[in-house]
Amino acid sequence: MLSKALDTYFIGIENSYQFVKQYFKQAFVPPFHFQEIIHQCYEIGIKSLSLISLTGFIIGLVFTKQSRPPLEDFGATSWLPSLMGIAIVKALGPLVTALICAGKVGSGIGAELGSMRVTEQIDAMEVSAINPFKYLVATRVTAAVITIPILSFYCIVVGLLGSYVNIHKEEATSFIAFFKSSFSTISFLDLYTSITKSIFYGFTIGMIGCYKGFNASQGTRGVGKAANQAVVTAMFLIFIEEVIIVQVANWIRYY
Amino acid sequence: MSEKIIQNEPVIIIKNLYKSFGTLDVLKGVDLTINKGENVAILGKSGTGKSVLIKILVGLLKPDKGSVIVLDQNIAKLNEKELNALRIQVGFSFQNSALYDSMSIRQNMEFPLIMNNKNLSKTEVAKAVHEVLEAVGLKDKMNEMPGDLSGGQRKRIGIARTLILRPKIMLYDEPTAGLDPITCTEINNLINQVQETYNTTSIIITHDLSCARETGDRVAMLLDGKFAKIGSFDEVFKTDNEQIQNFYKYNFIQ
């Protein structure tokens, strides 16, 4: 006989699977709530822009600053743009965006849907013959899948800009020379991998936020729990996805 | 209450209904038939399954056993499309109103209407919103947010939101819970007014005796998962049943 905790764990996995399956069943079948998708894209994208800008820029700047001393020892500071290109395009840009969005967007979706669940607003939709899954979940997940790759790309650009500011100050490198050097080591496979990663991250953040919020219980305590679990679970899955996608990309590269 | 004609035409038939949550048996063989135009108040202590019963009527919960026939349709046998078509005809007023916090009162009214009638013009939608808000006496609150309203106003708006789809049946879940006596009387009058104006059949879930007396043509007393007594208010409370007597005394003291 399985213990209660183990039962709960496997029931959770089954429920998550059903939730994801439900998304694919409903998101691509009319009626489509385009207006709500656009509204959610605005909520996720535009409202995260300032945070992404600041974080992306600082990461580019600080990472360049920190990487300079070891390269200086070998007289290899001219490699800095290439190093930053690899670091920001391949890893930092998508990952930082995903982590920021997991915190800001994931918790927001978890709390919003959680409070709608405990105050019976989701039930109110259902009894008004409105499909709450389609209106609330499908739109938010789709918006996250569309918006987070765009934010990632934006974060990459801002991060490289931060890096350029530091390199230009220290080495007086021109804008064109910096970007030529940065992208010299980046292939299209790297860009595709980054975009693919961001699509997976967007799906994970949207899905986990919606799942936790949609299934919230126990009143206001449940809302806090949903928001918290949305962030923790999404971040955990993002790191796992990062490892898997990098591994798969490397197999493709060397095959 | 003014005299009204209740037609001998059942619109809700509940037969031998059972519902449990884990090891907790909530409903243990509930039977009830409600005729067209009738207001039935279901009384009972908290946790006796009153809300569970009406949630089963709209398919929010599934019964373990028994049958529920609403407007000649067996709830258990309906597919999603048929269930939604039925839900449009059944208005559900929630205990805490369940207004959409992120929408204004106007948007709260428009939302179910637009989602169910994509072809309506802006003028038709505005007219319908105007009409239901006037019916509940809150036309001036149209542009406010739910958070700006009092408890009584929220209840009224909740009722207006269900009325906008012109339901044939109204289900009220604790309509007077948490309200002062004057607002309770206003809500009771509104329930009766809705019945007269829109010719609805209603179930009023309550533990408030004055609400049951003022709104119910019949009162059904839910005890231990079954209806212990169904009849007029006076018939139900003229009884030797100790639990029913205690319920009456407790409400009287309150």
Side-chain angles (χ1 to χ4, degrees), chain A residues 33 120-121 125-126 128, chain B residues 55 87 99-101 115-116:
Chain A
H33 302 298
E120 295 181 310
Q121 291 176 50
M125 274 189 194
E126 214 164 323
S128 305
Chain B
K55 282 183 178 172
R87 279 170 170 168
L99 300 180
Y100 307 123
D101 291 332
M115 295 297 278
N116 286 297

Side-chain angles (χ1 to χ4, degrees), chain B residues 175-186:
Chain B
T176 57
L179 300 178
D180 63 88
I182 295 169
T183 315
C184 283
T185 309
E186 285 172 6

Side-chain angles (χ1 to χ4, degrees), chain B residues 172-243:
Chain B
Y172 299 93
D173 191 3
E174 300 282 6
T176 57
L179 300 178
D180 63 88
I182 295 169
T183 315
C184 283
T185 309
E186 285 172 6
I187 295 290
N188 294 340
N189 292 340
L190 178 63
I191 293 171
N192 290 326
Q193 184 198 318
V194 164
Q195 201 281 326
E196 283 166 25
T197 315
Y198 295 89
N199 195 25
T200 53
T201 305
S202 310
I203 295 182
I204 303 109
I205 298 292
T206 185
H207 61 265
D208 172 11
L209 284 188
S210 67
C211 175
R213 185 172 49 200
E214 284 176 40
T215 60
D217 301 311
R218 276 195 300 156
V219 171
M221 187 77 198
L222 193 61
L223 286 177
D224 301 323
K226 277 183 177 180
F227 285 123
K229 226 170 167 198
I230 302 173
S232 69
F233 186 86
D234 293 332
E235 280 167 6
V236 168
F237 287 101
K238 271 180 195 160
T239 176
D240 294 332
N241 185 317
E242 204 178 329
Q243 277 182 289

Side-chain angles (χ1 to χ4, degrees), chain B residues 141-182:
Chain B
K141 303 287 177 192
M142 202 181 281
N143 295 316
E144 291 192 21
M145 295 301 283
D148 301 330
L149 303 181
S150 68
Q153 287 171 335
R154 287 174 70 93
K155 295 262 185 192
R156 283 166 173 269
I157 295 293
I159 293 170
R161 190 179 61 186
T162 61
L163 287 177
I164 204 155
L165 292 175
R166 298 292 177 138
K168 290 178 181 163
I169 296 171
M170 281 294 290
L171 307 174
Y172 299 93
D173 191 3
E174 300 282 6
T176 57
L179 300 178
D180 63 88
I182 295 169

